[in-house]
Amino acid sequence: MMNGKEYLKTLRAMKTVLYIDGEEVADFASHPVMKPAVNALKATYDLASDPELNPELHRLITAESDLTGGKISRFLKIVKSQDDLMARMKLQRTMMRYTGGCFGGRCVAGAVINALWSVTHDVDKASKGQTNYHERFNKYMTMCQENDLTVSGNITDAKGDRSLPPHRQADPDLYVRIVERTPDGIIVNGAKLQQSGAPIAHERLVVPTTALGPNDEAYAVAFSVPGDAKGVIHVNDSACSNAKFIAMETEDIGNAAFGMHQSAHILFDNVFVPWERVFLCGEWKATASLVHRFSDFQRFASSACRCGYIDLSIGAGAAMADYNGVAGKTHVQDKLINMSVDAETLYGLVAGSAALATATDSGVMLPETLSINAAKIYMNDAILRAGQTLADIGGGILITRPSSRDLKIPKVGELLAKYHKGREGVDVHDRLKMARLCESLSGLSAPTTILSVIAAGPPATQRLNFRLMTDFKRDRKAAERLAGILSSQK
Ligand SMILES: Cc1cc2nc3c(=O)[nH]c(=O)nc-3n(C[C@H](O)[C@H](O)[C@H](O)COP(=O)(O)OP(=O)(O)OC[C@H]3O[C@@H](n4cnc5c(N)ncnc54)[C@H](O)[C@@H]3O)c2cc1C
């Protein structure tokens, strides 16, 4: 298996076209916006190749392949048992606790790979030998496993007017489509937008984003191309958070090593795909189960991943509370416990979907639909609650902290350090670093939300008014009268 250095070498050997903020960047692996995402993906290679680095993660991130018979990355494994599903779930949570940021969208590939594995099997069976998509996909997956490649799963189309199916869009390219079939393969046009970790992966694995009807046959296409195939263009996302990786000192960023998330738009400009890399070509009837299966797999991976994110938020909140000298306060402990309850409730739902999984004809195990969708819905709110809780526990320092350059201003820097100290015994720089990690994890980088939670006093101070001013005596009397404990006159 490749180590991180070897992964970087393969990435640099590719001629991937990537634009970042208006400029084409050749050595994008070193670009400040891309480096954290590259580091996170690189870590997956280091952990898989070196058992000593982190034995628990090494065990989780590697698996035996039933295609090659060798050791492979679990991200490329076909999920064929409940144990496989459980191992994927544990990997997602533990890996997220390790990086705190997206590890190159490897989970999306898992969703697409397993869905395609099962659907190509079903299509070939239904066609009674007229198609051989499954055999092609088997060869493709064997190649990816043998070469330890990172695959980017590409689902989301441009979609134009969301109320219209692909064939009724004003522009026919708003969903990726086959524009020509040739004796050697197909030519495709279109775009896949907001693709996690796409430019830093070796392969693009493309599937339709929605269930299609008979008029959308040209859009029922699944295929793969190397990331540097002719006509494949990437444009990096322009998330506002990119700016801090360019402008700020490492210490001020929060999670400078692994960042938060990186995605890019992929434009397919008349790209040729040889037949051996075409896995669906016009089979619109298969798209409904394809979409259903990859959606559930993706919700499975991302819900498990967010448990690790909440774990990390609990850790950051606990550290910040300690640095502030309030670790022992009941309301702080209650808040940390609530986060933990959220993480375990979410994990329980994910595990439930694995426990109730069903096998497809191909052997792929599908997580149970209702429990995994309940998990995803629960996760949406749990993540927001965790962010708000971090802002509440940490205080305004999360967004207002002085920068490390401020701290170097002669005399003023010393004064700033003096006034930003927390409890005795804690280095002010540690408190400032942890504050910025909390800010980053909270996802509340725009001041408005943190300001709304914490400014004008943290929520515990508003609750204090209720403790002091609620007429508990009056209300208790009313209850005791109704229960027949006090006479009705009292
Ligand atoms: C950071 C990030 C990373 C991502 N990574 C990946 C990735 O790796 N691979 C990938 O394939 N995708 C990825 N995505 C894309 C993600 O799956 C989509 O954002 C998601 O499916 C929603 O699509 P959209 O953004 O186009 O929103 P829209 O589809 O425009 O949805 C916006 C709103 O409109 C509603 N809506 C849309 N269509 C209809 C309709 N027909 N009827 C009624 N209501 C409708 C939706 O319910 C929603 O409320 C990523 C997205 C983000 C933000």
Side-chain angles (χ1 to χ4, degrees), residues 2-299:
M2 273 197 272
N3 63 29
K5 254 190 188 162
E6 286 159 343
Y7 153 68
L8 258 187
K9 212 170 147 194
T10 58
L11 184 65
R12 290 205 160 106
M14 292 176 71
K15 303 267 175 282
T16 309
V17 176
L18 173 65
Y19 290 85
I20 302 175
D21 200 23
E23 278 178 21
E24 188 175 349
V25 182
D27 180 19
F28 59 78
S30 311
H31 191 284
V33 165
M34 300 296 292
K35 217 172 164 194
V38 173
N39 285 344
L41 189 47
K42 191 168 163 270
T44 67
Y45 281 98
D46 283 330
L47 290 161
S49 59
D50 182 356
E52 303 301 316
L53 199 57
N54 182 316
E56 184 194 6
L57 266 169
H58 175 78
R59 197 172 33 78
L60 289 172
I61 211 167
T62 51
E64 292 297 317
S65 168
D66 49 5
L67 302 183
T68 67
K71 204 172 184 185
I72 55 162
S73 163
R74 184 170 295 285
F75 291 113
L76 294 175
K77 177 145 173 48
I78 314 293
V79 171
K80 290 217 174 141
S81 65
Q82 279 172 333
D83 283 351
D84 278 349
L85 274 171
M86 291 287 191
R88 255 323 273 280
M89 174 185 81
K90 288 177 190 162
L91 170 60
Q92 291 290 137
R93 181 176 188 168
T94 317
M95 192 66 209
M96 178 49 92
R97 201 187 301 128
Y98 186 81
T99 63
C102 180
F103 22 100
R106 295 197 84 167
C107 57
V108 191
V112 176
I113 288 166
N114 283 289
L116 257 185
W117 186 268
S118 61
V119 167
T120 51
H121 169 94
D122 297 348
V123 168
D124 287 355
K125 197 172 169 191
S127 80
K128 298 196 169 49
Q130 297 299 296
T131 55
N132 67 338
Y133 295 125
H134 193 64
E135 191 189 323
R136 285 181 197 167
F137 194 56
N138 188 324
K139 278 189 186 149
Y140 174 71
M141 282 312 303
T142 306
M143 185 279 289
C144 290
Q145 291 184 357
E146 279 172 352
N147 292 288
D148 200 10
L149 300 182
T150 289
V151 177
S152 161
N154 309 134
I155 303 158
T156 309
D157 287 285
K159 297 185 290 194
D161 182 336
R162 270 70 172 151
S163 69
L164 300 176
H167 72 277
R168 290 189 52 213
Q169 297 287 336
D171 182 334
D173 293 331
L174 292 176
Y175 287 73
V176 169
R177 67 181 177 121
I178 306 160
V179 286
E180 199 182 331
R181 296 174 194 229
T182 76
D184 299 325
I186 57 173
I187 294 170
V188 294
N189 235 10
K192 292 290 183 185
L193 302 186
Q194 32 197 43
Q195 302 297 303
S196 302
I200 61 176
H202 304 101
E203 288 285 319
R204 311 290 170 268
L205 181 58
V206 177
V207 288
T209 199
T210 189
L212 301 166
N215 295 323
D216 287 321
E217 204 182 293
Y219 299 91
V221 61
F223 63 90
S224 70
V225 284
D228 58 354
K230 191 164 178 271
V232 177
I233 302 159
H234 304 84
V235 182
N236 200 52
D237 64 43
S238 71
C240 298
S241 54
N242 288 349
K244 68 179 186 178
F245 290 89
I246 294 173
M248 285 181 157
E249 299 285 322
T250 308
E251 194 180 312
D252 301 333
I253 288 176
N255 184 359
F258 299 119
M260 300 163 158
H261 191 275
Q262 179 275 329
S263 68
H265 308 303
I266 313 176
L267 314 177
F268 294 94
D269 184 18
N270 287 299
V271 173
F272 171 72
V273 186
W275 284 118
E276 65 266 23
R277 280 174 168 269
V278 178
F279 310 123
L280 281 183
C281 190
E283 289 76 11
W284 60 269
K285 281 185 188 157
T287 53
S289 49
L290 181 65
V291 171
H292 174 209
R293 291 174 192 180
F294 70 59
S295 301
D296 282 359
F297 269 119
Q298 188 49 25
R299 287 162 198 168

Side-chain angles (χ1 to χ4, degrees), residues 85 89 292-305 307 345-357 366-380:
L85 274 171
M89 174 185 81
H292 174 209
R293 291 174 192 180
F294 70 59
S295 301
D296 282 359
F297 269 119
Q298 188 49 25
R299 287 162 198 168
F300 181 88
S302 58
S303 300
C305 167
C307 296
T345 306
L346 181 54
Y347 207 49
L349 285 168
V350 181
S353 78
L356 298 173
L366 298 177
E368 195 274 323
T369 294
L370 287 184
S371 28
I372 202 52
N373 281 275
K376 173 66 171 61
I377 289 173
Y378 191 85
M379 179 263 270
N380 296 346

